[in-house]
Amino acid sequence: MDRRQEILEAAAKSFTLFGYKATTMEQVAKIANVGKGTIYTFFANKEILFQEIAMSLVQEMKAEADAVLDSSVSFMDNAHNALMKMLQFREKHLLFAKLIEEEKELRTPAVKQVLVRIESEILSYVAALIQRRIDKGEIRDCDAELVSYLLLKAYLAFIVDWHELHDDKIPEEKILNLFKETIFRGLIL
């Protein structure tokens, strides 16, 4: 493994354990077993290092979503499967969870900026899926960007927010059926 990759892994570990605000370049250097100066040969500052790690999270999330896409199934099933996979990734990935927690508790500007960028990447991904299906004539012409926002926020509400306010989680099949009968029904030709 090269030094740059070792530094990225050490930084990801530090951000996961301590959060963005409490992570120092000294900690990253210690975890990576390199001198602090070595880090600066690859990354100008902590924020740039953090942003690169965050974007690697996005790439991992997209890869997981891509893995569940199936050209032989409906737009509804693909959209549902991709959104569920991305939200499951968001909930299970320890670094992502730490960032969300830090943003809620400390309102760290750099963390908020990265979370906004991650959301933007997710929305672009979903909008591209929608646009491809529009172009193929499988769903109605619509504003793919707005529909992707509607879908992401609605899925977040049922997957994440619902459980925070209620004692039980909504079964995935029930969520899919709800979306089929409402939002997806309006998109299907």
Side-chain angles (χ1 to χ4, degrees):
M1 187 182 311
D2 66 17
R3 284 278 188 226
R4 187 175 195 284
Q5 189 60 37
E6 289 173 355
I7 293 166
L8 285 169
E9 288 180 12
K13 185 175 183 179
S14 185
F15 291 135
T16 301
L17 291 172
F18 307 113
Y20 174 80
K21 198 169 199 165
T23 290
T24 65
M25 293 299 248
E26 290 82 11
Q27 285 172 322
V28 173
K30 186 175 181 179
I31 294 169
N33 200 25
V34 298
K36 193 167 93 171
T38 303
I39 295 174
Y40 289 110
T41 62
F42 296 103
F43 305 97
N45 56 45
K46 181 171 88 168
E47 188 171 324
I48 290 171
L49 177 60
F50 179 57
Q51 288 176 8
E52 183 152 340
I53 290 167
M55 289 306 100
S56 71
L57 276 179
V58 169
Q59 295 312 313
E60 274 184 67
M61 188 184 304
K62 286 179 181 179
E64 287 195 20
D66 284 343
V68 299
L69 295 179
D70 181 350
S71 61
S72 69
V73 302
S74 71
F75 164 74
M76 287 184 289
D77 289 330
N78 271 326
H80 172 77
N81 291 338
L83 283 161
M84 288 298 293
K85 186 56 81 175
M86 287 190 286
L87 293 177
Q88 288 166 356
F89 179 91
R90 180 183 185 269
E91 291 303 303
K92 292 178 184 171
H93 199 285
L94 296 177
L95 176 55
F96 212 141
K98 184 69 170 182
L99 296 177
I100 291 167
E101 177 186 317
E102 181 173 336
E103 203 287 317
K104 281 182 182 177
E105 292 177 7
L106 303 176
R107 304 240 184 256
T108 308
V111 172
K112 180 165 181 70
Q113 180 184 13
V114 160
L115 290 175
V116 166
R117 187 169 174 202
I118 290 170
E119 181 177 288
S120 175
E121 291 285 334
I122 293 168
L123 290 170
S124 293
Y125 175 87
V126 175
L129 293 177
I130 292 168
Q131 191 61 54
R132 280 197 297 273
R133 295 298 178 120
I134 291 169
D135 295 344
K136 289 181 178 180
E138 295 177 31
I139 62 174
R140 295 181 192 283
D141 189 18
C142 63
D143 186 324
E145 183 180 351
L146 292 178
V147 173
S148 68
Y149 185 84
L150 172 66
L151 287 171
L152 178 63
K153 292 303 183 174
Y155 268 84
L156 272 170
F158 285 112
I159 303 301
V160 179
D161 299 342
W162 179 272
H163 183 62
E164 290 179 3
L165 300 173
H166 300 83
D167 293 334
D168 58 337
K169 289 185 175 187
I170 303 173
E172 185 177 335
E173 187 172 314
K174 189 171 185 177
I175 293 169
L176 176 58
N177 288 332
L178 173 67
F179 279 84
K180 279 183 178 179
E181 296 302 316
T182 57
I183 297 170
F184 290 135
R185 180 182 278 185
L187 294 171
I188 302 304
L189 290 172

